[in-house]
Amino acid sequence: MSGSKTTPSWIVKACDPSGTGQVLLALHPEPAETMVRQRRRAVLGQFFGLIQQSEVLLNPVAAYRGLMRPLNFPGHDDDVIAYITRPSFTYTFSDDGGLVRYQAPRNCVFVAFVCFAQDVLTDLHNNPANASAGGGVLDWEWTEADPTVPYLPVDYQTRYRSTLWTR
Amino acid sequence: MDKVTGAIDQFLPPELAKQVMAPFEPCAKYYATMDYLLYLEKDTAYRADRVDSYLTLLWHPDEDQAVGVKLKGFRYLFERMKEILGTRNIEISDDEFLPLVTALEIAMTAGDGPRLLAEAQQARLKEKYEKARTLVRSVQFDPRELKLAA
């Protein structure tokens, strides 16, 4: 993974993975730079509107550890934590650059992927403005909700390695 | 109801804001930290539909339209391939990963991405017809009602 000293620092508040306290997270520079290059106004709007402005990661309904897929570094699969939230709205940047709030996709939950591994922290701390960050936000998306437990993602029983907690 | 809660220049420095605000074009990009290639046809919020550990389809939030696809695990597959070839004394350098990913980005943007989306939509349509057939087969139908209707 790479770090960048030129990407600005974006710090957000989140619930501690234990579910009890608070932790500061920084947006990892690599996905941020790629999202900008791909001109993804919708996903950047979600970060600034939902994660930074609305602080949805402070009150997730569940947290899971590990993805059921092979990731690029040995052991990394277990380090990723999925925060599950269910805001009723989402955001995008409109054509005139306004951050616009509108209704969330129907029957979906908002999932953010966070990592506290040392190599991620090293990438983040390349930028001194990220010194306070205890973890990195790597990705986020709206995911289809489970039909029977609508506040969790579909197949929540099998898509993650372990449940940290649900509320 | 739509509500404006900020402006892009509050969040991004001018050069990045300008890049984001340029007109969107369908393209594929590789996201190294999560190890996936993302092809997007439209810039919109989407519903992620995980097919398996290697493929996720992205659907329009309100319509039955596939707007993107995520192909996951490229670096992982590259590392496995390196290991396998290494046992046959064929060495592949890490430097070869980036050109490979660039080639994949181009292939997805040029044609494989739109083809995958079209196939996904076709499959979903077929699935819906199959559900409709099952539903119709399960309906108890009284032929006398048809006579009355005529």
Side-chain angles (χ1 to χ4, degrees):
Chain A
M1 283 185 222
S2 66
S4 169
K5 289 175 186 172
T6 54
T7 306
S9 163
W10 292 296
I11 299 281
V12 296
K13 285 183 200 160
C15 175
D16 185 85
S18 69
T20 52
Q22 270 189 30
V23 65
L24 292 178
L25 305 174
L27 172 54
H28 193 286
E30 186 277 326
E33 286 164 6
T34 314
M35 285 165 186
V36 167
R37 281 194 291 119
Q38 204 170 8
R39 303 173 192 165
R40 296 177 65 189
R41 287 190 221 164
V43 80
L44 289 164
Q46 288 162 15
F47 178 82
F48 293 113
L50 286 172
I51 297 179
Q52 194 178 64
Q53 223 173 46
S54 306
E55 299 183 329
V56 295
L57 299 189
L58 280 175
N59 291 300
V61 291
Y64 296 91
R65 179 184 288 278
L67 303 176
M68 293 302 276
R69 52 165 288 210
L71 269 173
N72 44 353
F73 288 90
H76 228 68
D77 318 35
D78 279 332
D79 292 331
V80 174
I81 293 178
Y83 285 89
I84 317 297
T85 67
R86 209 180 178 216
S88 57
F89 48 85
T90 187
Y91 290 83
T92 190
F93 285 112
S94 61
D95 288 345
D96 63 1
L99 182 64
V100 179
R101 187 170 83 179
Y102 64 104
Q103 195 183 354
R106 273 174 293 128
N107 306 324
C108 283
V109 294
F110 184 71
V111 185
F113 300 97
V114 173
C115 190
F116 296 89
Q118 189 52 54
D119 57 342
V120 166
L121 291 178
T122 305
D123 286 348
L124 295 176
H125 295 162
N126 275 339
N127 181 345
N130 285 334
S132 58
V137 182
L138 304 186
D139 202 9
W140 54 93
E141 65 187 5
W142 286 98
T143 297
E144 294 196 355
D146 189 85
T148 51
V149 190
Y151 57 90
L152 295 178
V154 70
D155 299 332
Y156 65 93
Q157 305 96 325
T158 54
R159 67 192 298 157
Y160 307 109
R161 288 174 188 248
S162 60
T163 305
L164 288 178
W165 43 265
T166 56
R167 285 180 175 147
Chain B
M1 187 187 282
D2 293 358
K3 185 183 171 192
V4 179
T5 64
I8 196 161
D9 51 14
Q10 287 171 244
F11 305 101
L12 291 169
E15 69 279 14
L16 295 186
K18 191 178 165 194
Q19 217 175 329
V20 173
M21 293 308 295
F24 178 82
E25 283 172 14
C27 66
K29 293 281 178 227
Y30 177 69
Y31 287 80
T33 46
M34 292 296 280
D35 191 19
Y36 64 68
L37 189 74
L38 173 70
Y39 171 76
L40 270 185
E41 196 145 273
K42 265 189 180 176
D43 178 37
T44 174
Y46 52 73
R47 290 174 284 130
D49 174 16
R50 182 180 184 271
V51 176
D52 57 28
S53 52
Y54 292 98
L55 175 68
T56 296
L57 291 169
L58 311 174
W59 296 91
H60 190 282
D62 308 313
E63 297 162 25
D64 246 354
Q65 184 193 5
V67 295
V69 63
K70 256 185 205 178
L71 300 171
K72 301 172 276 187
F74 277 106
R75 183 87 208 191
Y76 172 80
L77 292 175
F78 180 78
E79 296 298 332
R80 295 295 80 77
M81 199 171 74
K82 253 176 67 177
E83 277 174 21
I84 292 164
L85 292 175
T87 61
R88 297 175 187 188
N89 296 322
I90 302 169
E91 295 302 322
I92 296 182
S93 150
D94 274 350
D95 296 344
E96 293 180 55
F97 184 67
L98 269 183
L100 177 71
V101 159
T102 306
L104 288 167
E105 285 180 349
I106 292 167
M108 284 294 284
T109 303
D112 288 352
R115 184 182 52 78
L116 270 170
L117 295 193
E119 282 173 7
Q121 263 174 230
Q122 192 63 33
R124 185 166 269 205
L125 196 66
K126 251 172 107 176
E127 187 190 325
K128 284 196 166 173
Y129 272 107
E130 193 47 49
K131 273 186 189 160
R133 275 191 210 105
T134 312
L135 186 71
V136 169
R137 275 197 293 265
S138 70
V139 171
Q140 297 295 315
F141 179 69
D142 183 351
R144 283 173 299 183
E145 281 180 25
L146 196 64
K147 274 187 186 168
L148 285 173

